[in-house]
Amino acid sequence: MHASQGQGRSVGLGLALASAFAFGGSGVAAKPLIEAGLAPLQVVWLRVAGAALLMLPVAWRHRDLVRRRPGLLAGFGLLAVAGVQAFYFAALSRIPVGVALLVEYLAPALVLLWVRFVQRRPVTRAAAVGVVLAVGGLACVVEVWAGLSFDPVGVLFALAAACCQVGYFVLSDQGSGDRGNSAEDTADPLGVIAYGLLVGTVVLTAVGRPWEMDWSLLGGTADLGGTEVSAALLLGWIVVIATVLAYTTGVVSVRKLSPQVAGVVACLEAVIATVLAWVLLREHLSAPQIAGGAVVLVGAFIAQSSTPRPPSNGVGPLGEAPVPADDEMFEETSRPAG
């Protein structure tokens, strides 16, 4: 039993890493398309609509989810697909890729706040320290002492993407059979992704107005750090790798791990995207911004790794009895009964 659980955790970590690498390349491939003349929302629409088209057979196979879990599908589509992508790409058009992702990846720390104040579970002091570090690192990333040298609107867009990403982690965990749900409530992750992409496409069609797009741009090339690359090839990478593969591996990894643990690994996406932007797009960050980004990642890691996963029937996540850590917990002076 313990061996199978350990193997499942290893698989989950591997999938989370694959998702981080896949998501990390989206901004680097998308920014040249934006600079070539496509609006950020148009790139988002192409990304989500293309992925939804590829996932149509999966949606048909899991069509019963529309009746059983409509709220989950709608929420995933609005937050985890449309919200995250739209706000992230809007931020991408105004601030560097690395900065946009570093701000967005305050989300793991925000998940911690969700656990503490919405789910009303105790949080370790080390986790609280992690949140403080993440916020402090963000201040260095945006250089607040220089009056927000990065476009403040772009930073706000990235923060909105972070809030939507909290929904991605929380909703990805819903409907899992490993969380004690009944067979009626269990939702196949591929079905959730497929319908989430369809919902996201509908929402983004209304706001992105793809009929106004200059479709001829997709037949040309885009500048990728001084090299002309086919726009269609960049779009194909965004749709297949950075969306379908990224969401599939990401949601399954959350199911096998937890929103908290998956959030830790997902922080690597910011590092991957920053390195790729440095190498491929020739984007450079100042020393304080690099240091601040490192602090953001360290803070998010501490916050998430210090969050105790709630036991199931008195058994820890790996089968061991849960170990209390009252001396490291802080709780409200008065907690509701039960």
Side-chain angles (χ1 to χ4, degrees), residues 49-65 188 190-195 197-198 244:
L53 185 62
L54 290 179
M55 295 291 283
L56 271 179
V58 178
W60 176 255
R61 180 180 179 182
H62 297 284
R63 55 191 180 277
D64 63 309
L65 284 176
D188 186 278
L190 291 180
V192 173
I193 295 167
Y195 279 101
L197 290 168
L198 288 172
V244 174

Side-chain angles (χ1 to χ4, degrees), residues 20 22 63 86 90 117 164 198 241 259 324:
R63 55 191 180 277
F117 295 106
C164 290
L198 288 172
I241 304 299

Side-chain angles (χ1 to χ4, degrees), residues 300-314:
F301 179 84
I302 292 174
Q304 292 303 303
S305 62
S306 300
T307 303
R309 185 169 171 183
S312 176
N313 298 324

Side-chain angles (χ1 to χ4, degrees), residues 238-299:
I238 293 172
V239 170
V240 178
I241 304 299
T243 306
V244 174
L245 178 63
Y247 271 105
T248 300
T249 53
V251 171
V252 175
S253 72
V254 174
R255 295 282 184 92
K256 289 184 174 295
L257 300 170
S258 71
Q260 296 95 319
V261 176
V264 174
V265 184
C267 287
L268 291 175
E269 179 188 334
V271 178
I272 294 164
T274 302
V275 172
L276 290 176
W278 189 3
V279 173
L280 298 177
L281 299 182
R282 307 293 189 266
E283 289 188 354
H284 296 279
L285 302 178
S286 68
Q289 291 160 354
I290 294 174
V295 173
V296 170
L297 295 177
V298 170

